[in-house]
Amino acid sequence: MIKKILIANRGEIALRVIRTCQALGIKTVAVYSDEDYGSMHVKKATEAYHIGEAAPAKSYLNQEKIVEVALASGADAIHPGYGFLSENSDFANLCAKNKIKFIGPSGKSMQLCGDKMKCKDAMAKAKVPTVPGSPDLVKDSDEALDIANKIGYPVLLKSVFGGGGRGIRLVKNDKDLKEAFEIATGESMAAFGKSALLVEKFLPKIRHIEFQLARDKHGNAVHIFERECSIQRRHQKLIEMSPSPVVDQKTRDKIGQLAVNTAIAVDYTNLGTAEFLRLDDGSFYFIEINARLQVEHPVTELVSGLDLVKLQIDIANGEEIPFKQKDLAVNGCAIECRINAEDTFLDFAPSTGPVSDVTIPAGPGIRVDTYLYPGCTVSSFYDSLMAKLITWGQNFEESRTRMLNALSDFYVQGVETSIPLYKTILQTKEFREGNLSTDFLERFNVLDKLKSDIKKDTIEKQDVALAAAALYSTYYSSRIKTTPEISMHWKSKLDRA
Amino acid sequence: MIKKILIANRGEIALRVIRTCQALGIKTVAVYSDEDYGSMHVKKATEAYHIGEAAPAKSYLNQEKIVEVALASGADAIHPGYGFLSENSDFANLCAKNKIKFIGPSGKSMQLCGDKMKCKDAMAKAKVPTVPGSPDLVKDSDEALDIANKIGYPVLLKSVFGGGGRGIRLVKNDKDLKEAFEIATGESMAAFGKSALLVEKFLPKIRHIEFQLARDKHGNAVHIFERECSIQRRHQKLIEMSPSPVVDQKTRDKIGQLAVNTAIAVDYTNLGTAEFLRLDDGSFYFIEINARLQVEHPVTELVSGLDLVKLQIDIANGEEIPFKQKDLAVNGCAIECRINAEDTFLDFAPSTGPVSDVTIPAGPGIRVDTYLYPGCTVSSFYDSLMAKLITWGQNFEESRTRMLNALSDFYVQGVETSIPLYKTILQTKEFREGNLSTDFLERFNVLDKLKSDIKKDTIEKQDVALAAAALYSTYYSSRIKTTPEISMHWKSKLDRA
Amino acid sequence: MEYKIADIEDIFNAEITQVLGNSEYLVKINDKERHLRILAMSTRGIEFLLDQKYHNIRYLENTTANIKMVVDGVQITLNKHHKLNQIVYKNTGETGRDDTQVNLRSQIPGKVVSIDAQEGAKVKKGDVICVLESMKMQVSVKSHKDGVVRKIKIKKGGSVAKNDVIAEIE
Amino acid sequence: MEYKIADIEDIFNAEITQVLGNSEYLVKINDKERHLRILAMSTRGIEFLLDQKYHNIRYLENTTANIKMVVDGVQITLNKHHKLNQIVYKNTGETGRDDTQVNLRSQIPGKVVSIDAQEGAKVKKGDVICVLESMKMQVSVKSHKDGVVRKIKIKKGGSVAKNDVIAEIE
């Protein structure tokens, strides 16, 4: 039985894990970098150890140091959170070598999940549909043509040396494919000395729908419904929800079973997520397994009533999952907005610095997972996720309305946030109707809508601003005082400079 | 359709009503006394009107003024909250006369609920068991003896002129009863010129269990499970939960149906609560209907997923209850602790004044309904309920553990609170086992346990306190400064005096 | 006092017209009288009821030119000196000055952002001679008469004090 | 420095023994050395790690006699002058004073809580003559020698200054 867990992470997810440990009476060990002295996870853990400099490579990615702290503090397990070392099979193996339980899948399974081609191969054997395309590298343009004709145009010609959109060509017919193949091969030979190209079907308008998985060491496996994560920017999820507006119970049962099969196919244990693309025709294609707890796991918690971190710990302890698939039913609707420190109008560039004031919304159906507190700092060394605002409602509309109200109550002073963007998105007709896709922001010109919303807000509040200014001018010039306890200090950047 | 609601209340319940109105797009009108300028309900409502002096009689109980504000602001409905005018049938009638919807039962039904003897009579007709005793005033000692022998000793001899424990005599046999009757009659004649005595069965160890009711204007009626409210002090509820540890589904169905019958018996509409006493032998006795939203309604919301204030508004709008009894099922377990501003060791005397600092717990499964914010004031003019801390869990134990953690995170500076008492109660073996009764605090010497818990806490924290003191002494005497940004100002009552 | 709000074209007017006591005021906003009751003031900002409606204002920045505030969660920048251009012109080029006067003087201190006239050029009264940045605003200094620019006495990027000669115009 | 904690009988010892820099200290608590790292300090209190464990201290009150604080939610009062009795005795009755000295003087200012010896009574060295309240503590003033109380120079409820004569003892 796990009695003490080192959390090899920071920010909201470290706090999330601590919260469950507290509820279970499990001790926690926090680790922190130079940047995180004053961070909440240091304060909330049973113990906290300094592990190095601000740069992740010198602290949160320092495998040896983290294992050293785990051993020194007597932790018998490590929870990796998400990001950092969470999907690093070497680290999972290092933990195993030091007889520390790694709360996640085995290193072997994790490695298989991380290797796209091997994973695709395993899925083919398990009869899980993946995005149609070449089963392996294509050796020449004839093979590419052959495959393209089999799966149908348009197709993507992808270099395995690419990544993040680079080295990908959209091709619409045989002639273009032939030409593109020559150019891509030439480029690749010049740059890498070898060519490695894949053909994959181009999917024009897609939804990102994923299934929460759990599988224990005894082979029991369930899915805990889907999450729709189609609202994205630059392939980063912004808003997630469960259930998906396009998944009915029949689809849930069918694709959920497929998702369970993916876990079995790679001998996956603990919690994971099977990600799928869904086309408008209702077809689903498996993309990958995320071998860890997801950022968006709270939406699943709110509609299932489960504590997923507890489930992770139970499975790591070798226990059986304490329920069957048939015991699970979706209760209401949950939506999550990732409150990022970023400037929407600067191409979502990170916005960092000290946060002098914070108001965190609260109330029925509102959950906030965050590391923010007044006086904290949003560091430039780590990711821009400051908080996750999650609302639950009996149905989508109740959840959405609660989210809109909660977004209005959420205030972070000192950094730019994605809050205004979410208010605009949630109010669009398309979002309300569940008309989602990964290109939602571009397809519906959401940034233009945001600009106009901001102007509308300004106009709505102009009289109030003017009253505040008039009050200020009067106070400042004549210093009217009505009651002695009222005092006012005017902040001014000039004064402080 | 109601478009604008005046909330004839203050504090957390005013905020609770505003929250639902915001979610439904209904405008809200707050009213406030001299004492409540800076109160949260003034800030959160769409509009706020000053209605008078701090004393309730001059503001929150001023029926004419409140109706005047409702008419002036264009509110088409009034929500009374609990307390104040919520069970005042004159006020309900005044609203009706001014064509303002009163969100609650009709004045007539409310009056019937408030008249104990008439209500008991109605229940007898509806075959709802009430506490055994005389159906009306007893005319002489012979009648009293007759009834006592029918219901069995011990019995209580009650004067209807008493109240709050006064004028009640515990009697164990015929001889005592005869004597007591003479004395009580004599006393009553001397004090009031007439005698009015009742005989009621004495129930030694009781649980307080109540059922949430809803009945619409079309006659549809449901119960929304029970709440166990046995943890009390001086007949005031402290901790409530749903479900009750002693109510299984069969009992819930049976007593729930009885509860529905009570609503029908008095032609009750809107939300209400049927209160019962339960004996250790499993028998239930109806006591009264609370003709309003209860303080403890959130526990029912958390296990049912319903928004009870929304349901109140829907029913007031003349809509049908949008579900049937069979659609409802208890989901998990919810516990509520009433965070009162009171000194447990001063016989729960109110503790009022400015609250300079507040930390409100948050996280999964935690809900806090409160008017507190740093810098607010707990007024001596109103009741001592500052906050309701409600936790949800998949089962009682998860809910209890979450409550314990949340209580530890809850901090209110400036007034004494009932938080330490709740920590002690929740940790007792008896509470964990569900061994509850209205005399829980006395029966298990909880205040002694609290004292010893406080001493234990002090011992556990002594080293930390000493370290803090040492740090202080060093700073104070030699003013060591390690980094320029660290500065410390020592608060001292002497300095401030 | 008049204000301009960033992103909105109009010019707005707001002033306190009456102090009613008990933290209450009458405020005239764009010629409409409104009732205002202050609930709380702190170093961070102010909370008040405007015509019975609650508002929370956080002041972020206050300079001689701007007030930057967050009104009920909406960030708004009020420009306090939208008429500075006019005022400056009034005191230099527009009126009152003798046409025989050669020196064009700056009525405000500032940094020279641009020089918009060249020595030897013909200018008309009101033509922009240079632009100064002052109090975080850009202010044009305009010619006080028709004439020929004899000499530019300032440098781009340099500073001018109040009453410094900008140019000699004959 | 030594402390007494309200409701606990023992006397405790705590002092900073080394300043390690980088907000780190060694603190000796009851003869055990502990590592302390300050995370934050403010007007409200202090946050630190003591042997890797986080604690949040809010200071409520600080007088010359007591520190009242909330340690991780637990209210604790530390008495800073638990040895005042001894100190005062040391300076009055216990040592150093000449037995021929008649006047028993108070070494501290305070309010007279009780008078515990009567005029004409025989007292022994160390017997309590009166109790003063000083710095929110009760402090006994004890006889500096064996003898007879000739005169009590104070009144119950009255104030005494430092060096005031409490009693004449011969």
Side-chain angles (χ1 to χ4, degrees):
Chain A
M1 286 290 288
I2 292 168
K3 289 195 168 58
K4 196 174 198 175
I5 295 177
L6 182 145
I7 299 148
N9 216 305
R10 64 181 298 282
E12 68 85 18
I13 194 62
L15 290 163
R16 168 69 194 87
V17 175
I18 289 170
R19 201 181 294 120
T20 288
C21 290
Q22 281 179 339
L24 300 174
I26 294 171
K27 289 187 173 146
T28 51
V29 179
V31 293
Y32 61 98
S33 73
D34 282 347
E35 192 82 352
D36 278 333
Y37 276 73
S39 292
M40 281 297 279
H41 73 289
V42 173
K43 303 181 179 186
K44 292 284 183 184
T46 321
E47 298 164 39
Y49 292 82
H50 180 245
I51 52 163
E53 296 172 28
K58 305 228 168 164
S59 48
Y60 298 107
L61 290 173
N62 186 339
Q63 303 186 25
E64 290 71 27
K65 181 71 186 169
I66 289 170
V67 166
E68 183 192 316
V69 169
L71 294 171
S73 63
D76 41 20
I78 291 182
H79 195 298
Y82 52 71
F84 292 132
L85 297 167
S86 63
E87 292 183 284
N88 186 317
S89 56
D90 290 345
F91 183 63
N93 291 332
L94 184 67
C95 289
K97 210 180 103 188
N98 284 279
K99 308 227 181 309
I100 300 166
K101 275 185 181 136
F102 177 85
I103 299 177
S106 68
K108 200 179 146 197
S109 177
M110 199 188 278
Q111 203 170 11
L112 187 48
C113 292
D115 185 320
K116 308 266 177 242
M117 292 316 286
K118 277 193 192 152
C119 186
K120 198 165 181 173
D121 199 42
M123 293 311 151
K125 282 184 194 135
K127 300 202 164 53
V128 176
T130 51
V131 178
S134 52
D136 213 327
L137 301 180
V138 289
K139 55 180 193 297
D140 52 33
S141 64
D142 282 348
E143 193 186 345
L145 281 173
D146 198 40
I147 291 165
N149 280 295
K150 214 180 287 168
I151 62 179
Y153 285 103
V155 298
L156 295 173
L157 189 65
K158 283 182 169 180
S159 165
V160 297
F161 299 122
R166 291 191 319 120
I168 297 184
R169 283 181 171 76
L170 178 64
V171 179
K172 291 179 180 169
N173 55 46
D174 282 0
K175 184 170 159 284
D176 290 355
L177 179 57
K178 248 189 161 152
E179 269 179 36
F181 198 92
E182 302 305 325
I183 298 167
T185 304
E187 276 179 9
S188 192
M189 290 300 287
F192 305 102
K194 55 184 173 175
S195 173
L197 296 169
L198 295 171
V199 174
E200 208 175 82
K201 189 158 179 67
F202 169 70
L203 304 173
K205 184 184 156 223
I206 49 178
R207 285 169 182 261
H208 179 112
I209 295 177
E210 60 188 29
F211 278 76
Q212 178 66 53
L213 298 172
R215 187 160 175 268
D216 64 30
K217 291 168 182 171
H218 310 273
N220 303 303
V222 295
H223 72 86
I224 312 172
F225 329 132
E226 77 284 1
R227 292 185 288 256
E228 164 126 25
C229 316
S230 299
I231 303 288
Q232 307 187 341
R233 54 110 176 122
R234 298 200 272 125
H235 305 289
Q236 298 278 338
K237 296 165 190 165
L238 293 176
I239 301 177
E240 300 99 346
M241 67 183 77
S242 184
S244 160
V246 293
V247 174
D248 57 17
Q249 190 55 44
K250 205 179 133 198
T251 310
R252 183 171 301 125
D253 290 343
K254 188 180 142 205
I255 309 301
Q257 185 54 51
L258 271 187
V260 167
N261 293 346
T262 67
I264 298 167
V266 296
D267 193 20
Y268 193 92
T269 50
N270 216 304
L271 261 68
T273 295
E275 296 195 323
F276 293 86
L277 299 181
R278 180 197 179 270
L279 306 193
D280 278 348
D281 66 5
S283 55
F284 279 79
Y285 297 102
F286 171 83
I287 349 173
E288 61 174 333
I289 292 186
N290 284 139
R292 53 171 162 84
L293 192 68
Q294 296 274 81
V295 173
E296 59 271 26
H297 77 275
V299 296
T300 300
E301 294 190 318
L302 290 187
V303 294
S304 70
L306 294 169
D307 179 335
L308 294 184
V309 174
K310 179 177 187 299
L311 193 54
Q312 285 191 303
I313 295 169
D314 288 346
I315 293 175
N317 268 325
E319 290 176 27
E320 291 198 47
I321 295 171
F323 49 81
K324 303 283 169 211
Q325 190 68 58
K326 68 173 170 46
D327 301 328
L328 298 175
V330 180
N331 175 31
C333 173
I335 304 176
E336 171 180 286
C337 286
R338 299 190 185 193
I339 311 298
N340 296 325
E342 61 188 24
D343 189 336
T344 308
F345 293 118
L346 274 180
D347 197 23
F348 305 99
S351 172
T352 59
V355 171
S356 53
D357 195 10
V358 183
T359 309
I360 290 168
I366 295 173
R367 167 174 166 183
V368 184
D369 285 16
T370 184
Y371 65 80
L372 290 173
Y373 64 91
C376 73
T377 297
V378 176
S379 169
S380 57
F381 282 96
Y382 312 113
D383 77 16
S384 61
L385 182 75
M386 296 184 289
K388 302 185 312 203
L389 173 59
I390 314 111
T391 56
W392 180 89
Q394 280 190 281
N395 49 49
F396 172 76
E397 193 49 31
E398 187 173 86
S399 187
R400 189 186 73 91
T401 318
R402 279 185 172 159
M403 180 61 82
L404 270 174
N405 284 316
L407 285 166
S408 294
D409 286 347
F410 210 135
Y411 178 70
V412 185
Q413 188 165 303
V415 294
E416 298 291 328
T417 79
S418 45
I419 294 169
L421 174 64
Y422 297 145
K423 282 203 248 181
T424 293
I425 292 174
L426 263 77
Q427 290 182 91
T428 58
K429 181 172 156 288
E430 293 78 14
F431 186 87
R432 290 204 315 270
E433 290 171 351
N435 182 4
L436 312 178
S437 60
T438 55
D439 61 351
F440 186 92
L441 295 196
E442 300 80 34
R443 191 151 56 98
F444 301 116
N445 298 313
V446 173
L447 262 56
D448 289 344
K449 285 196 176 112
L450 171 58
K451 267 181 206 153
S452 114
D453 282 354
I454 289 172
K455 185 153 186 181
K456 249 184 275 169
D457 283 347
T458 305
I459 291 171
E460 198 192 310
K461 295 297 177 188
Q462 70 187 27
D463 281 10
V464 185
L466 288 163
L471 214 54
Y472 166 64
S473 301
T474 308
Y475 261 79
Y476 199 71
S477 52
S478 66
R479 299 198 182 271
I480 293 165
K481 282 212 172 170
T482 48
T483 53
E485 70 269 22
I486 287 179
S487 77
M488 185 159 64
H489 300 275
W490 292 87
K491 266 193 204 170
S492 151
K493 273 194 186 167
L494 280 185
D495 294 343
R496 277 179 278 138
Chain B
M1 286 290 289
I2 293 168
K3 290 195 167 57
K4 196 174 200 176
I5 294 177
L6 181 145
I7 300 149
N9 217 304
R10 64 181 297 284
E12 68 85 18
I13 193 63
L15 290 163
R16 168 67 194 89
V17 175
I18 289 170
R19 201 181 293 119
T20 288
C21 290
Q22 281 179 340
L24 299 174
I26 294 170
K27 290 189 173 144
T28 51
V29 179
V31 292
Y32 62 98
S33 73
D34 281 347
E35 192 82 351
D36 279 333
Y37 275 75
S39 291
M40 281 297 279
H41 73 288
V42 173
K43 303 181 179 185
K44 291 285 182 182
T46 321
E47 298 163 39
Y49 292 83
H50 179 247
I51 51 164
E53 295 173 28
K58 304 229 169 160
S59 47
Y60 299 107
L61 290 174
N62 186 339
Q63 303 186 26
E64 290 71 27
K65 181 72 187 171
I66 288 170
V67 167
E68 181 193 318
V69 169
L71 294 172
S73 64
D76 42 20
I78 291 184
H79 194 299
Y82 52 72
F84 294 131
L85 297 168
S86 63
E87 292 182 284
N88 186 316
S89 56
D90 291 345
F91 184 62
N93 292 331
L94 183 67
C95 289
K97 208 180 106 189
N98 284 279
K99 307 224 182 314
I100 300 164
K101 275 186 181 135
F102 177 84
I103 300 176
S106 68
K108 199 178 149 199
S109 178
M110 198 188 278
Q111 203 172 9
L112 187 49
C113 292
D115 186 321
K116 306 270 176 237
M117 292 316 286
K118 277 194 193 152
C119 186
K120 200 166 180 174
D121 198 43
M123 292 311 152
K125 283 184 195 133
K127 300 201 166 51
V128 176
T130 51
V131 178
S134 51
D136 213 325
L137 302 180
V138 288
K139 56 180 192 300
D140 53 34
S141 63
D142 282 347
E143 192 187 346
L145 282 173
D146 197 44
I147 291 164
N149 279 296
K150 215 180 287 168
I151 62 179
Y153 286 101
V155 301
L156 295 173
L157 188 66
K158 284 183 169 179
S159 164
V160 296
F161 300 123
R166 289 187 323 118
I168 297 183
R169 282 180 172 76
L170 178 64
V171 180
K172 290 178 181 170
N173 54 47
D174 282 0
K175 185 171 158 283
D176 290 356
L177 179 58
K178 248 187 161 152
E179 271 179 36
F181 198 93
E182 304 305 325
I183 298 167
T185 305
E187 275 180 12
S188 192
M189 290 301 285
F192 305 102
K194 54 185 172 173
S195 173
L197 296 170
L198 296 171
V199 175
E200 209 175 79
K201 190 160 178 64
F202 170 70
L203 305 173
K205 187 185 153 220
I206 49 177
R207 286 170 182 262
H208 179 112
I209 295 177
E210 60 188 29
F211 278 75
Q212 178 66 54
L213 298 172
R215 187 159 175 268
D216 63 31
K217 292 169 181 170
H218 309 273
N220 302 303
V222 295
H223 72 87
I224 313 171
F225 328 133
E226 77 284 2
R227 293 184 288 256
E228 164 127 25
C229 316
S230 299
I231 303 288
Q232 307 187 343
R233 54 113 175 121
R234 298 200 271 125
H235 305 289
Q236 297 279 338
K237 296 166 189 165
L238 292 176
I239 301 178
E240 299 100 345
M241 66 183 80
S242 184
S244 160
V246 293
V247 174
D248 56 17
Q249 190 56 44
K250 207 179 130 197
T251 309
R252 182 171 302 124
D253 291 342
K254 189 181 140 202
I255 311 300
Q257 185 54 51
L258 271 188
V260 167
N261 293 346
T262 68
I264 296 166
V266 296
D267 194 19
Y268 192 93
T269 50
N270 217 305
L271 260 67
T273 296
E275 295 195 324
F276 292 86
L277 298 181
R278 180 198 178 270
L279 306 193
D280 278 348
D281 66 5
S283 54
F284 279 77
Y285 298 101
F286 170 83
I287 348 174
E288 60 174 334
I289 292 186
N290 284 139
R292 53 172 162 82
L293 192 67
Q294 297 275 81
V295 174
E296 58 270 26
H297 76 276
V299 296
T300 300
E301 294 190 317
L302 290 186
V303 295
S304 69
L306 295 169
D307 180 335
L308 294 185
V309 175
K310 178 177 187 300
L311 193 54
Q312 285 192 302
I313 295 170
D314 288 347
I315 293 175
N317 268 325
E319 290 177 27
E320 290 199 47
I321 296 171
F323 49 82
K324 302 282 168 212
Q325 190 67 56
K326 67 172 172 48
D327 300 328
L328 299 175
V330 180
N331 176 31
C333 173
I335 304 175
E336 170 180 286
C337 286
R338 299 190 185 192
I339 311 299
N340 297 325
E342 63 189 21
D343 190 336
T344 308
F345 293 118
L346 275 180
D347 196 25
F348 305 100
S351 173
T352 59
V355 171
S356 53
D357 196 10
V358 183
T359 309
I360 290 169
I366 295 173
R367 166 173 165 183
V368 184
D369 284 17
T370 185
Y371 66 78
L372 291 173
Y373 64 90
C376 74
T377 297
V378 176
S379 168
S380 57
F381 282 97
Y382 312 112
D383 77 16
S384 62
L385 182 75
M386 296 183 289
K388 303 185 312 204
L389 173 58
I390 315 112
T391 56
W392 179 90
Q394 280 191 282
N395 49 50
F396 171 75
E397 194 46 32
E398 187 174 87
S399 186
R400 190 187 71 91
T401 318
R402 277 185 173 159
M403 180 59 81
L404 270 173
N405 284 316
L407 285 167
S408 295
D409 285 349
F410 210 135
Y411 178 71
V412 185
Q413 189 166 300
V415 295
E416 297 292 327
T417 78
S418 45
I419 295 170
L421 174 65
Y422 297 144
K423 283 203 247 182
T424 293
I425 293 173
L426 263 76
Q427 290 182 91
T428 57
K429 183 172 153 289
E430 293 78 14
F431 185 87
R432 290 203 315 270
E433 291 171 350
N435 182 3
L436 312 178
S437 58
T438 55
D439 61 352
F440 186 91
L441 295 196
E442 300 80 34
R443 190 150 58 97
F444 301 117
N445 298 312
V446 173
L447 261 55
D448 289 344
K449 285 197 176 112
L450 171 57
K451 268 181 206 152
S452 115
D453 282 354
I454 289 171
K455 185 153 185 179
K456 251 184 275 169
D457 283 348
T458 305
I459 290 171
E460 197 192 308
K461 297 297 179 190
Q462 69 186 29
D463 281 11
V464 185
L466 289 163
L471 215 55
Y472 164 64
S473 301
T474 307
Y475 261 80
Y476 198 70
S477 55
S478 65
R479 299 199 180 268
I480 292 166
K481 281 214 171 166
T482 48
T483 53
E485 70 270 21
I486 289 179
S487 77
M488 184 158 65
H489 301 274
W490 292 86
K491 266 194 203 173
S492 151
K493 275 197 185 165
L494 281 187
D495 295 342
R496 275 180 278 139
Chain C
M1 185 144 168
E2 292 193 331
Y3 298 92
K4 185 165 169 344
I5 299 177
D7 299 330
I8 302 183
E9 282 312 302
D10 306 330
I11 284 162
F12 301 96
N13 212 304
E15 57 190 317
I16 293 182
T17 49
Q18 209 179 328
V19 181
L20 304 170
N22 197 21
S23 301
E24 293 179 72
Y25 302 84
L26 288 184
V27 190
K28 210 160 89 181
I29 299 168
N30 298 327
D31 300 325
K32 206 185 146 194
E33 205 140 72
R34 319 270 303 252
H35 179 268
L36 189 150
R37 162 175 270 167
I38 296 176
L39 301 180
M41 279 172 131
S42 76
T43 50
R44 284 177 176 174
I46 187 164
E47 296 172 83
F48 56 70
L49 294 173
L50 184 65
D51 288 344
Q52 267 76 44
K53 197 163 163 23
Y54 171 81
H55 300 284
N56 179 357
I57 287 88
R58 295 172 171 98
Y59 292 102
L60 298 183
E61 195 180 312
N62 176 42
T63 68
T64 36
N66 297 309
I67 310 180
K68 217 172 181 173
M69 53 179 118
V70 179
V71 179
D72 301 332
V74 178
Q75 192 166 314
I76 291 182
T77 302
L78 282 187
N79 190 321
K80 293 189 280 184
H81 293 274
H82 75 279
K83 286 170 94 179
L84 203 55
N85 261 318
Q86 268 172 264
I87 294 163
V88 170
Y89 183 44
K90 203 176 265 176
N91 292 332
T92 51
E94 196 188 36
T95 55
R97 288 287 176 117
D98 196 342
D99 263 16
T100 58
Q101 179 88 33
V102 172
N103 288 339
L104 171 66
R105 289 175 191 276
S106 173
Q107 297 304 304
I108 53 168
K111 208 179 134 197
V112 182
V113 175
S114 66
I115 297 175
D116 302 80
Q118 285 177 306
E119 290 182 2
K122 273 190 159 178
V123 290
K124 282 200 180 338
K125 179 172 169 174
D127 279 359
V128 174
I129 304 300
C130 73
V131 176
L132 303 179
E133 188 177 290
S134 179
M135 294 173 270
K136 304 218 167 185
M137 292 200 61
Q138 298 207 345
V139 179
S140 309
V141 179
K142 297 171 184 172
S143 179
H144 58 296
K145 65 175 184 188
D146 297 351
V148 174
V149 179
R150 286 293 165 221
K151 203 161 174 58
I152 300 283
K153 309 275 281 185
I154 54 175
K155 276 194 298 191
K156 191 177 165 184
S159 289
V160 291
K162 193 175 167 182
N163 273 327
D164 272 4
V165 176
I166 300 278
E168 293 170 11
I169 300 172
E170 279 180 326
Chain D
M1 185 141 167
E2 294 193 329
Y3 299 92
K4 186 166 169 344
I5 299 176
D7 298 330
I8 302 183
E9 282 311 302
D10 305 330
I11 285 161
F12 301 96
N13 211 305
E15 57 189 319
I16 292 183
T17 50
Q18 210 180 326
V19 181
L20 303 169
N22 196 22
S23 300
E24 292 178 73
Y25 302 84
L26 289 183
V27 190
K28 210 160 88 182
I29 299 168
N30 298 326
D31 301 325
K32 208 186 143 195
E33 204 141 72
R34 319 268 305 252
H35 179 267
L36 189 150
R37 164 175 269 167
I38 296 176
L39 300 179
M41 279 170 133
S42 75
T43 50
R44 285 177 177 174
I46 186 165
E47 296 172 83
F48 56 71
L49 295 174
L50 184 66
D51 286 346
Q52 267 76 45
K53 198 164 163 21
Y54 171 81
H55 300 285
N56 179 357
I57 286 89
R58 295 172 171 98
Y59 293 101
L60 297 184
E61 192 179 314
N62 177 42
T63 67
T64 36
N66 298 309
I67 310 179
K68 215 172 182 174
M69 53 179 118
V70 179
V71 178
D72 302 332
V74 178
Q75 192 165 316
I76 292 183
T77 303
L78 282 187
N79 190 321
K80 292 190 280 184
H81 293 274
H82 76 280
K83 285 171 93 180
L84 204 55
N85 260 319
Q86 266 172 266
I87 292 163
V88 169
Y89 182 43
K90 203 176 266 177
N91 292 332
T92 53
E94 195 188 38
T95 56
R97 289 288 175 115
D98 194 340
D99 263 15
T100 60
Q101 180 88 32
V102 172
N103 288 339
L104 171 64
R105 289 174 191 275
S106 173
Q107 296 303 304
I108 53 167
K111 206 180 136 197
V112 182
V113 175
S114 67
I115 297 175
D116 302 81
Q118 286 177 305
E119 291 185 2
K122 273 192 161 178
V123 292
K124 282 199 181 340
K125 179 172 170 174
D127 280 359
V128 174
I129 304 300
C130 71
V131 175
L132 302 179
E133 188 179 289
S134 177
M135 292 174 271
K136 304 216 169 185
M137 293 199 60
Q138 299 207 345
V139 178
S140 310
V141 179
K142 297 169 183 173
S143 178
H144 58 296
K145 66 176 182 186
D146 297 351
V148 173
V149 179
R150 287 293 167 218
K151 204 161 176 57
I152 300 284
K153 309 274 281 186
I154 54 174
K155 277 194 297 191
K156 191 177 162 183
S159 288
V160 292
K162 194 176 164 181
N163 273 327
D164 274 4
V165 177
I166 301 280
E168 293 170 10
I169 300 171
E170 279 181 324

